[in-house]
Amino acid sequence: MTGPKRWSESGSEADPVLRSVMRYARSQEPTPEQVRELLRGARATAERAPKVFSLRARRRGKSVLFALAAIVAGGASWAAYRVYGNEREPSPVDAPTVAVPAPIPSASVVHRRAAVAQPEPQVTPSAAFAPEEAPKPSSTVPPRRVPEPEDELAVLEEARRLVANNPAAALALTRDHAVRHSASAFAEEREALAIEALRKLNRNEEAAARLRAFEERYPRSPYRRKLGVSGQ
Amino acid sequence: MTSTRELGDLTDLVLEHSAFVWRVLTHLGVPASDVADASQEVFVIVMKQLEGFRANSSVRTWLYGICRNVALSTRRKSSVQREIPTDVLPEEILQPAQERDLWIKRAHAQLVEALASLDDDQRAVFVLYEIEEVSMEEIAAATDAKVTTCYARLYAAREKVQSLLRRKSLSTAGAGSDRRPHKKGAS
């Protein structure tokens, strides 16, 4: 059944004044900044709300870890003093060098680099998911800065925008995202975008392999339909 | 525990439907200053209900139902706070160039006011059909009503909105007094 023309449409029964108001009503939407804010708030609330208890437990866990770390550090200092303490006073020059993590570039910087650095290293399906595994503890590697969700979003939004017309750049962005945001909550989106980009580039075998890995990892993903996975 | 997959779903939903949620809340009478918070509340509820969502039903109409409840509770809170939040600047400091903006914002506010006078069913059909451009079949499925019933609600809502806006002198001649609602299926 064909319905009546909507008031915002030309030729509808509404007069021009009312039509303008309806079009204005239709144009109401949040700014990109408001969307980011909305996403950040909703994610934070969704993560926090249902588990007051687990938050407490996490805090308790952190306290225990701090206590353990303090004991270990204390023990190490004492041992070091026993070994070296009598030889000489420590000087600031002897302080162990700490590698400073490289700053994470903004989306536009990443994009520019992705657009220039076209050669795409082969990413095996298993390697694509590897960064999501829990990082192995290491005393020599400084902790990575926890990325702000909006940094990731900006990169993925850019990749999403590019995937139709510049799939190579989109693919580079997803690869970059995998490297920089190792424990990302958006890995699923990233992989879906990467598969789309590979298909656009006619790298069908790689796309198929990655899709298989994707299906295994995200059997209930809302992207499965978009990626043409049957048997939903 | 909110899983990574769920957060991924949330991200996707927010990016895809935030404009819809924003508009619906606005047209359900949530004050401009509360729309951001109310939108966030909608998506938190979405996260809680995501598992129960039937994939074969429309996301937009499902979201509409959540928006309706959130709008109701937000409006109640706002009336208790007795605030008069507005993003329209006081008239006396406006420049002539801003007059049209002011006019359209006021006219839009009158539309929102008129929508508040509709009953829930009429408002749902009007907002979804006229503003969100959802098909009538989709609206009928979501509201568990016949398509013909939904059209009847739309015509009734149009009549009421036009009548209220005429009273406020927004809608000029031609939009209404001598005009009958569309016949079913007319286009």
Side-chain angles (χ1 to χ4, degrees):
Chain A
M1 187 184 293
T2 310
K5 278 199 170 183
R6 292 181 171 86
W7 277 356
S8 57
E9 293 178 66
S10 303
S12 71
E13 68 166 12
D15 62 67
V17 175
L18 191 48
R19 202 172 300 144
S20 305
V21 176
M22 294 308 291
R23 286 177 183 166
Y24 179 79
R26 174 80 185 148
S27 72
Q28 297 298 294
E29 59 180 38
T31 62
E33 176 54 39
Q34 284 170 323
V35 173
R36 278 196 288 275
E37 193 62 37
L38 174 59
L39 184 58
R40 186 165 44 203
R43 285 170 61 92
T45 313
E47 281 178 323
R48 197 174 52 227
K51 36 186 193 308
V52 177
F53 173 75
S54 60
L55 261 181
R56 280 187 194 140
R58 211 184 300 163
R59 279 193 207 112
R60 263 204 310 273
K62 275 185 184 168
S63 308
V64 172
L65 278 177
F66 277 125
L68 279 173
I71 291 167
V72 171
S77 306
W78 180 78
Y81 179 75
R82 286 292 301 271
V83 175
Y84 301 109
N86 294 332
E87 293 176 7
R88 60 188 172 87
E89 288 295 312
S91 108
V93 186
D94 296 329
T97 52
V98 177
V100 179
I104 296 175
S106 69
S108 59
V109 173
V110 173
H111 174 206
R112 277 200 298 277
R113 196 181 57 214
V116 174
Q118 290 298 320
E120 164 71 9
Q122 297 297 311
V123 181
T124 60
S126 56
F129 296 122
E132 274 213 299
E133 301 301 326
K136 288 177 183 141
S138 163
S139 57
T140 55
V141 180
R144 272 181 70 95
R145 179 174 80 84
V146 176
E148 291 294 320
E150 57 267 32
D151 294 344
E152 299 187 53
L153 271 180
V155 173
L156 290 178
E157 274 175 32
E158 188 66 359
R160 192 196 296 264
R161 197 180 65 76
L162 286 169
V163 76
N165 297 323
N166 193 351
L171 189 61
L173 279 177
T174 60
R175 180 178 51 80
D176 219 86
H177 182 273
V179 172
R180 294 192 172 272
H181 304 289
S182 53
S184 173
F186 304 115
E188 192 178 344
E189 284 75 14
R190 178 185 69 218
E191 284 309 303
L193 280 168
I195 292 164
E196 268 189 79
L198 283 168
R199 283 178 177 171
K200 291 266 178 198
L201 291 167
N202 287 325
R203 289 160 61 174
N204 294 328
E205 279 184 18
E206 284 171 72
R210 240 163 131 163
L211 180 61
R212 278 194 296 277
F214 182 91
E215 282 182 85
E216 226 167 81
R217 181 145 185 128
Y218 306 111
R220 296 170 60 206
S221 171
Y223 295 103
R224 293 178 76 229
R225 189 163 41 184
K226 193 176 179 188
L227 294 170
V229 178
S230 55
Q232 290 262 48
Chain B
M1 179 85 183
T2 306
S3 71
T4 300
R5 187 185 68 78
E6 285 167 338
L7 287 175
D9 288 346
L10 177 65
T11 307
D12 209 39
L13 282 165
V14 170
L15 293 178
E16 202 162 323
H17 297 290
S18 53
F20 172 86
V21 166
W22 195 272
R23 268 195 306 271
V24 167
L25 290 170
T26 300
H27 295 112
L28 292 183
V30 173
S33 57
D34 291 338
V35 172
D37 286 347
S39 300
Q40 190 171 310
E41 208 176 323
V42 167
F43 283 108
V44 170
I45 294 170
V46 162
M47 275 307 288
K48 289 179 187 165
Q49 296 185 359
L50 200 56
E51 285 299 313
F53 171 65
R54 288 173 299 147
N56 57 344
S57 59
S58 158
V59 175
R60 285 187 301 179
T61 47
W62 173 57
L63 285 172
Y64 180 87
I66 298 172
C67 287
R68 188 181 52 199
N69 294 337
V70 169
L72 189 63
S73 93
T74 307
R75 285 202 308 265
R76 277 189 194 138
K77 278 184 229 160
S78 294
S79 64
V80 168
Q81 288 167 350
R82 295 181 188 282
E83 279 182 14
I84 310 172
T86 172
D87 57 358
V88 180
L89 295 170
E91 191 172 8
E92 55 273 18
I93 63 167
L94 288 174
Q95 300 301 312
Q98 293 174 289
E99 274 178 12
R100 195 183 181 283
D101 278 355
L102 176 63
W103 172 83
I104 196 88
K105 280 183 178 176
R106 280 191 176 151
H108 181 244
Q110 287 174 357
L111 171 70
V112 172
E113 210 177 300
L115 292 177
S117 70
L118 303 178
D119 69 39
D120 271 358
D121 291 334
Q122 290 174 356
R123 192 185 307 116
V125 173
F126 187 92
V127 170
L128 289 172
Y129 186 83
E130 293 287 0
I131 300 173
E132 297 307 326
E133 301 183 358
V134 176
S135 75
M136 200 56 97
E137 286 72 20
E138 206 179 321
I139 297 169
T143 53
D144 213 13
K146 289 181 180 170
V147 173
T148 48
T149 307
C150 290
Y151 276 119
R153 286 172 184 166
L154 175 68
Y155 299 136
R158 279 181 164 190
E159 185 82 353
K160 208 163 179 179
V161 168
Q162 282 185 334
S163 151
L164 286 165
L165 293 182
R166 265 202 310 276
R167 240 182 274 163
K168 291 174 186 294
S169 310
L170 167 65
S171 193
T172 56
S177 59
D178 56 344
R179 192 172 292 201
R180 307 303 308 160
H182 275 268
K183 294 290 175 227
K184 200 167 46 184
S187 168

